[in-house]
Amino acid sequence: MATPELVFFDGKIVPYKEAKVGVLTHGLNYGTGIFGGIRGYWNDEEKQMFVFRPLDHYKRFLDSGKLLRMELPYTKENLTEATLELIRKQNFRENVYIRPLAFYGDEIIGVRLHNLTPRMSIAAVPFGKYIEQEEGAHVTISSWWRVEDNMTPARGKIVGAYVNSALSKTDAQLSGFDEAIVLSQNGHVSEGSAENIFMVKNGVFITPPVTENILEGIVRRTFIQLIQDELGMQVQERSIDRTELFLADELFFGGTGVQMVSITKIDHRLIADGKMGPLTLKLRDLFFDVVFGRSAKYRNWCMPVYKK
Ligand code: PMP
C-alpha cells in the first residue's frame, strides 16, 4: 500500500513525510492512543465521494479519547470537515479508507494518562476488500479471549488494545482461516478480531450486547436499523454461546473494514448448507445501496466530499 501524499497533522494538512514523531513518543511506547476507521465510497454515476456516517465515527473517536482522559481541541464537526478537505485536496476518485489517530505525543518515560499532550493525524488511502472470501469465510474460534472492560475497554478504539486483535487474527490466518471469532472470558461470543458479528436463527437476527466487550460498531448500528426498518424483522441483542454459532441458520460479520462478510464455516463445520444465506444477501444489497448514496432515505448518512 502506497503512503498518501497529504495528511492532517495537529490541525494542518501537510505532506505525509513531514508528519513524523520521535521514538520516545508516549503513544508508541505505551499504546496510549485512540483511532478510527471510516470509509469513503466513490459513486461513479454521480461522480461524487460519500463518506459514511463521519459524525457518528468521530463521536465514538472523541468518546474513546475520554476513556484515556484525552482532551482534543476538536469537535466531531471540525474533524469531519478536515476529513472532507483532506480527500478533496488529493482528489481521490475511488473508494478510500480514512484513519484518524490521536495519541499522547510527549517524548518521556512514565506510564500514565495524566499531564500529557495529545497529537492527532488523519490519513486517507485507496482501499478495497479487507477479507478476501466475502461470500464464504471460514473462521475459527480463537484461543485468545477478548480484552475485558476492567482491563482495557473494548468500547474504546484504543491503540494498545489492538494487540488482542492482532494475536487472534494472526493465529487464525496462519492456521489457514480467514478470520477469528473471539470469546469473552465468560465464554460468550464477543466479536471478530476487528468487526461485529450477527447470527440469524428461526427468522430473528441476534447480535451480542454492548456489555460483551465489543466495539460498538457504526456498521452494527446501521445493520440493526436496516433489519428493523427495511426488512421489517427483529434484532435481539443478547449473549450468544459458542455452539449456537455452529447451529445458526446464517452468520455474518459487519464493520467498516470488512463491510459485510458471510461466514459459511467455523472450525471445519458448515453453517447451515455452507452457502451465503438469503437474509445475509438481502441485507448486503441494502447496505451497499445505502453506503454508495443510492438510497434516498439514508442519504443523510452519506457526506458528499466534492462541491457541485
Ligand atoms: N469491532 C472491532 C474490534 C473493530 O475494530 C471494528 C472496526 N472499527 C468493529 C468492531 C466495527 O466497527 P465499525 O462498524 O464502527 O467499523
Side-chain angles (χ1 to χ4, degrees):
M1 193 178 79
T3 52
E5 183 200 335
L6 300 172
V7 64
F8 173 94
F9 196 44
D10 292 337
K12 291 197 295 276
I13 293 179
V14 299
Y16 180 81
K17 46 184 185 319
E18 285 178 18
K20 291 249 161 62
V21 298
V23 293
L24 277 176
T25 299
H26 203 274
L28 193 56
N29 285 257
Y30 302 118
T32 49
I34 54 150
F35 67 110
I38 311 171
R39 272 188 187 260
Y41 288 91
W42 174 248
N43 180 322
D44 202 49
E45 293 84 68
E46 294 191 37
K47 306 284 176 226
Q48 180 60 279
M49 168 89 74
F50 292 110
V51 177
F52 189 59
R53 303 188 74 167
L55 292 165
D56 296 309
H57 276 282
Y58 281 121
K59 164 82 169 72
R60 184 181 68 198
F61 180 79
L62 295 171
D63 281 351
S64 297
K66 269 192 195 167
L67 294 175
L68 298 192
R69 308 180 87 259
M70 201 177 262
E71 287 178 19
L72 289 164
Y74 310 105
T75 61
K76 59 185 195 300
E77 289 81 11
N78 294 159
L79 294 172
T80 298
E81 194 35 57
T83 302
L84 302 185
E85 187 59 22
L86 181 69
I87 297 174
R88 249 179 243 136
K89 281 207 155 142
Q90 293 170 102
N91 201 24
F92 285 119
R93 279 160 195 276
E94 60 189 308
N95 297 345
V96 295
Y97 187 86
I98 302 144
R99 165 53 47 80
L101 170 73
F103 53 93
Y104 284 122
D106 309 68
E107 296 178 63
I108 53 151
I109 304 295
V111 187
R112 61 173 196 259
L113 292 174
H114 61 284
N115 297 341
L116 295 168
T117 307
R119 304 192 71 182
M120 159 124 208
S121 62
I122 308 173
V125 289
F127 202 69
K129 282 185 189 172
Y130 181 78
I131 291 181
E132 209 41 51
Q133 306 301 329
E134 286 184 341
E135 303 199 347
H138 185 189
V139 310
T140 185
I141 306 284
S142 184
S143 61
W144 297 99
W145 293 335
R146 188 81 180 110
V147 285
E148 278 286 324
D149 194 53
N150 291 306
M151 293 160 60
T152 308
R155 73 168 38 74
K157 216 167 151 58
I158 295 171
V159 172
Y162 274 72
V163 170
N164 180 246
S165 297
L167 287 166
S168 56
K169 179 76 177 196
T170 283
D171 283 10
Q173 284 203 304
L174 297 186
S175 302
F177 297 98
D178 299 306
E179 182 54 288
I181 292 172
V182 189
L183 307 178
S184 285
Q185 286 187 35
N186 60 18
H188 294 146
V189 175
S190 179
E191 57 181 337
S193 74
E195 55 278 324
N196 296 114
I197 190 166
F198 283 75
M199 163 174 116
V200 181
K201 186 74 183 177
N202 299 329
V204 176
F205 289 77
I206 306 164
T207 193
V210 298
T211 45
E212 213 64 88
N213 300 307
I214 66 166
L215 182 78
E216 298 171 27
I218 308 299
V219 171
R220 176 183 181 276
R221 209 185 303 166
T222 302
F223 282 176
I224 291 174
Q225 188 163 343
L226 294 177
I227 293 163
Q228 291 173 338
D229 295 356
E230 303 306 315
L231 301 183
M233 296 178 72
Q234 217 189 318
V235 184
Q236 288 177 359
E237 296 182 53
R238 67 148 174 90
S239 295
I240 299 176
D241 282 340
R242 171 192 196 134
T243 54
E244 282 189 279
L245 298 180
F246 297 159
L247 303 178
D249 298 333
E250 300 185 30
L251 209 54
F252 56 90
F253 285 131
T256 299
V258 301
Q259 306 180 98
M260 188 162 176
V261 165
S262 164
I263 303 166
T264 50
K265 224 194 240 188
I266 301 184
D267 289 322
H268 308 279
R269 294 159 174 86
L270 287 186
I271 302 304
D273 64 357
K275 297 201 184 68
M276 178 167 20
L279 292 168
T280 308
L281 200 58
K282 241 181 169 170
L283 184 62
R284 189 173 78 150
D285 288 347
L286 265 171
F287 177 72
F288 282 107
D289 274 346
V290 167
V291 295
F292 277 98
R294 296 192 292 255
S295 161
K297 185 167 167 191
Y298 296 102
R299 185 82 165 194
N300 60 330
W301 281 342
C302 305
M303 191 80 81
V305 170
Y306 298 108
K307 296 182 175 137
K308 298 269 167 169

